[in-house]
């Protein structure tokens, strides 16, 4: 229906006052949190913050691998593309809140039968009509449908961003863990190779003693079996080493060619320092630090906005249109004064009978919010479980490392004594083999414990939200 100018002014004023949102504004569900961490590893007297937390291990090769992974990892590239998609969707939602301006041009040629009494058609009964106009359209968002859709898109952009941050943190930790596995396997392989060389020398001595009649064939066969066992263990470690190298290359975003051609940068497991102190993060602060929790919060806000957009479907939609242009019977008369034309109009569409469509959309949006609430609670629960598990793993791995260090020292001396007693004729060669096997096992276990302690430290960084900012200068 056409509108008078004053009516259009009133509607435009109403448009300026739009923004009535039907979305619920509920805070995230309350979760009982501990007052503090019952563990001395995390305290208020922590080491100075470091943004690149993996640099605490003091290995330039590890730093290079993490930097490479952050640049070339395909999972991160996929997450970045999803962020761009969410950003584009937000731009599209924002654009829906603004008027549309379209150009419209029409040309028609009409012929009617002669003698119909319409002299304007001429004797031939043919008429031409030309029109050029600009059309302005605008939806009054009286009930917040468009605004809620924009709020949902904005929240989903935040969710995508925080999800990418969580993935970034996971990739960092996975690279650190794979690198630690690689260096530990290299160390274990070096220990085993040294054992193979030692047992080769022992076998040579046994053959010489057998020729001289100083020993029996049983002792020789025992030495051969010990050497074969060490070689088998070395082969197994080389297989693990190859698998770890491949996993690390994939995490770092290596191409298929690089998987076969490149080797990890040189490093030395013994130089890896174990971070001894961690930031004084309170349990409540974990909700603000963990990107996966922030992503779950953003998903809750998006679900609230979806409910508002769905509820708005119960109410009328008002659209304003304005047209200004030129109409003429000949092209040459377009844009002349008499050819000018304009119109103002509005339309109202109100739901009367939709057989429950709108109600079903609201119910679906509410169900998705319930899912988001459950996911949020589950994410928080997982975060605190990961912190507790990482603290336990770090503490116990440190104890194992110290205990295994003592065991290696004791077994090294025991092997020396067993060798001396055997060579002096006061002991059995089986005692030497037992001491040698026990020492090898203890050395491998010490390397595993040292790796576990460092992996637990990396996992704790991840569980605490990874990076933590330095305090602001006073």
């Amino acid at each position: 229906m056409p509108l008078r100018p004053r009516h259009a002014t009133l509607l435009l004023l109403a448009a300026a006052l739009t923004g009535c949102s039907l979305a619920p504004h509920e805070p995230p569900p309350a979760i009982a949190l501990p007052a503090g961490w019952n563990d001395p590893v995390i305290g208020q007297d922590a080491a100075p913050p470091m943004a690149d937390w993996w640099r605490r291990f003091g290995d330039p090769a590890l730093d290079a691998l993490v930097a490479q992974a952050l640049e070339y990892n395909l999972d991160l590239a996929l997450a970045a593309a999803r962020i761009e998609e969410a950003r584009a969707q937000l731009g599209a939602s924002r654009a829906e809140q603004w008027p549309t301006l379209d150009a419209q041009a029409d040309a028609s040629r009409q012929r009617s039968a002669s003698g119909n009494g319409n002299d304007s058609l001429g004797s031939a009964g043919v008429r031409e009509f030309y029109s050029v106009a600009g059309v302005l359209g605008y939806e009054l968002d009286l009930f917040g449908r468009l605004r809620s859709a924009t709020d949902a898109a904005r929240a989903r952009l935040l969710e995508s961003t925080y999800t990418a941050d969580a993935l970034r943190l996971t990739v960092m930790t996975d690279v650190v863990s794979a690198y630690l596995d690689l260096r530990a396997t290299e160390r274990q392989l070096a220990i085993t190779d040294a054992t193979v060389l030692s047992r080769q020398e022992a076998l040579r001595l046994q053959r010489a003693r057998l020729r001289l009649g100083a020993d029996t064939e049983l002792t020789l066969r025992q030495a051969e079996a010990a050497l074969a066992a060490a070689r088998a263990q070395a082969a197994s470690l080389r297989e693990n080493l190859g698998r770890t190298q491949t996993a690390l290359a994939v995490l770092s975003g290596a191409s298929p060619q690089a998987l076969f051609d490149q080797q990890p940068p040189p490093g030395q497991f013994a130089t890896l320092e174990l971070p001894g102190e961690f930031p004084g993060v309170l349990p409540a602060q974990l909700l603000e630090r963990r990107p996966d929790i922030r992503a779950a919060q953003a998903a809750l806000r998006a679900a609230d906005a979806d409910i508002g957009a769905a509820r708005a479907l119960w109410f009328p939609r008002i659209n304003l249109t304005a047209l200004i242009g030129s109409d003429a019977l000949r092209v040459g008369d377009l844009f002349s004064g008499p050819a000018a034309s304009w119109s103002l109009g509005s339309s109202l569409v109100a739901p009367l009978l939709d057989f429950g469509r709108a109600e079903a959309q609201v119910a679906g949006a509410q169900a998705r919010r319930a899912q988001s609430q459950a996911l949020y609670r589950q994410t928080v629960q997982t975060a605190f479980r990961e912190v507790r598990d990482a603290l336990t793993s770090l503490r116990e791995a440190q104890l194992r490392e110290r205990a295994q260090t003592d065991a290696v020292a004791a077994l090294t001396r025991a092997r020396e004594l067993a060798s001396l007693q055997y060579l002096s004729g006061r002991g059995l060669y089986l005692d030497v083999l037992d001491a040698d096997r026990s020492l090898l096992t203890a050395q491998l276990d010490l390397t595993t414990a040292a790796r576990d302690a460092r992996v637990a430290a990396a996992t704790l960084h991840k569980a605490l939200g990874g990076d933590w900012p330095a305090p602001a200068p006073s």
Side-chain angles (χ1 to χ4, degrees):
M1 64 178 180
L3 289 178
R4 296 180 180 177
R6 62 180 181 179
H7 292 164
T9 302
L10 291 176
L11 285 175
L12 289 174
L13 289 175
L17 298 176
T18 57
C20 173
S21 175
L22 300 177
H25 298 284
E26 301 178 15
I31 298 176
L33 302 178
W37 308 108
N38 187 22
D39 198 289
V41 175
I42 301 180
Q44 296 300 324
D45 297 330
M50 178 180 290
D52 299 337
W53 55 267
W54 61 88
R55 295 186 185 275
R56 290 182 179 271
F57 291 102
D59 192 323
L62 174 59
D63 299 342
L65 280 172
V66 173
Q68 180 180 340
L70 294 180
E71 184 173 0
Y72 297 111
N73 183 271
L74 296 181
D75 289 330
L76 293 180
L78 180 60
R82 287 173 176 162
I83 291 176
E84 292 305 315
E85 179 187 9
R87 184 174 285 111
Q89 290 176 347
L90 174 59
S93 295
R94 283 175 172 168
E96 290 291 332
Q97 294 183 272
W98 293 91
T100 59
L101 180 60
D102 300 317
Q104 178 179 313
D106 297 310
S108 65
R109 184 179 178 87
Q110 178 183 353
R111 182 182 184 280
S112 300
S114 59
N116 60 1
N118 190 348
D119 295 336
S120 64
L121 296 177
S123 59
V126 176
R127 188 178 78 165
E128 297 179 349
F129 182 80
Y130 302 92
S131 173
V132 177
V135 182
L136 181 70
Y138 181 65
E139 179 180 344
L140 289 178
D141 195 21
L142 293 176
F143 303 101
R145 184 182 68 86
L146 299 178
R147 179 185 174 187
S148 293
T150 300
D151 290 342
R154 184 180 296 108
R156 289 194 171 90
L157 174 58
L158 287 175
E159 181 185 5
S160 298
T161 303
Y162 288 131
T163 300
D165 289 341
L167 179 59
R168 180 185 176 92
L169 183 56
T170 298
V171 168
M172 293 175 187
T173 308
D174 288 347
V175 169
V176 172
S177 298
Y179 181 81
L180 293 170
D181 285 342
L182 177 69
R183 296 308 176 211
T185 305
E186 288 176 343
R187 185 177 179 86
Q188 289 177 330
L189 182 58
I191 293 171
T192 307
D193 285 340
T195 302
V196 168
L197 293 176
S198 174
R199 291 181 181 179
Q200 285 176 342
E201 179 63 19
L203 179 59
R204 188 186 65 82
L205 292 175
Q206 288 301 323
R207 285 171 177 165
R209 289 173 62 89
L210 181 62
R211 286 195 300 268
L212 295 174
D215 225 322
T216 64
E217 184 182 355
L218 175 61
T219 303
L220 177 65
R221 300 309 175 200
Q222 289 173 335
E224 288 176 344
L227 175 59
R231 285 173 172 168
Q233 190 163 19
S236 178
L237 288 171
R238 287 191 183 91
E239 180 185 3
N240 292 338
L241 183 63
R243 293 178 183 274
T244 307
Q245 288 174 339
T246 303
L248 189 57
V250 170
L251 284 170
S252 302
S255 65
Q257 179 182 0
L259 289 180
F260 291 89
D261 296 344
Q262 292 183 354
Q263 293 294 329
Q268 181 62 39
F269 183 79
T271 64
L272 289 180
E273 301 174 2
L274 179 64
E277 296 178 317
F278 292 84
V281 178
L282 295 176
Q285 293 175 322
L286 194 67
L287 302 183
E288 297 298 322
R289 289 171 47 84
R290 290 265 303 209
D292 54 345
I293 296 179
R294 301 293 296 275
Q297 292 172 344
L300 270 174
R301 291 194 293 271
D304 285 341
D306 285 340
I307 292 175
R311 286 174 175 172
L313 297 177
W314 289 334
F315 299 93
R317 296 172 61 177
I318 300 175
N319 292 280
L320 303 180
T321 58
L323 180 147
I324 183 169
S326 180
D327 301 332
L329 298 178
R330 293 181 299 179
V331 175
D333 293 337
L334 286 173
F335 304 109
S336 62
S341 64
W342 63 270
S343 69
L344 293 175
S346 66
S347 64
L348 184 147
V349 179
L352 293 180
L353 183 63
D354 65 354
F355 299 96
R357 291 182 178 87
E359 185 71 29
Q361 291 195 40
V362 173
Q366 291 173 335
R368 287 190 294 273
R369 191 188 193 282
Q371 296 173 35
S372 297
Q373 280 186 325
L375 180 61
Y376 172 78
R377 298 177 66 90
Q378 185 182 59
T379 303
V380 173
Q381 190 177 57
T382 299
F384 281 88
R385 176 183 59 81
E386 290 177 351
V387 172
R388 180 177 181 137
D389 290 348
L391 286 170
T392 302
S393 297
L394 177 58
R395 182 174 56 248
E396 299 306 322
Q398 288 176 315
L399 293 175
R400 284 200 308 273
E401 184 177 5
R402 288 194 290 267
Q404 286 299 135
T405 300
D406 295 339
V408 167
L411 288 170
T412 300
R413 180 57 180 162
R415 187 183 184 282
E416 294 174 356
L417 294 174
S419 297
L420 291 174
Q421 289 179 357
Y422 169 70
L423 294 175
S424 65
R426 293 183 291 112
L428 300 176
Y429 187 68
L430 185 59
D431 296 334
V432 178
L433 291 179
D434 287 341
D436 186 70
R437 282 193 294 266
S438 298
L439 176 59
L440 176 60
T441 301
Q443 289 173 327
L444 297 180
D445 289 344
L446 173 58
T447 303
T448 300
R451 179 207 62 193
D452 291 346
R454 286 154 180 80
V455 169
T459 304
L460 181 56
H461 278 93
K462 175 189 174 185
L464 293 175
D467 303 349
W468 58 89
S474 56

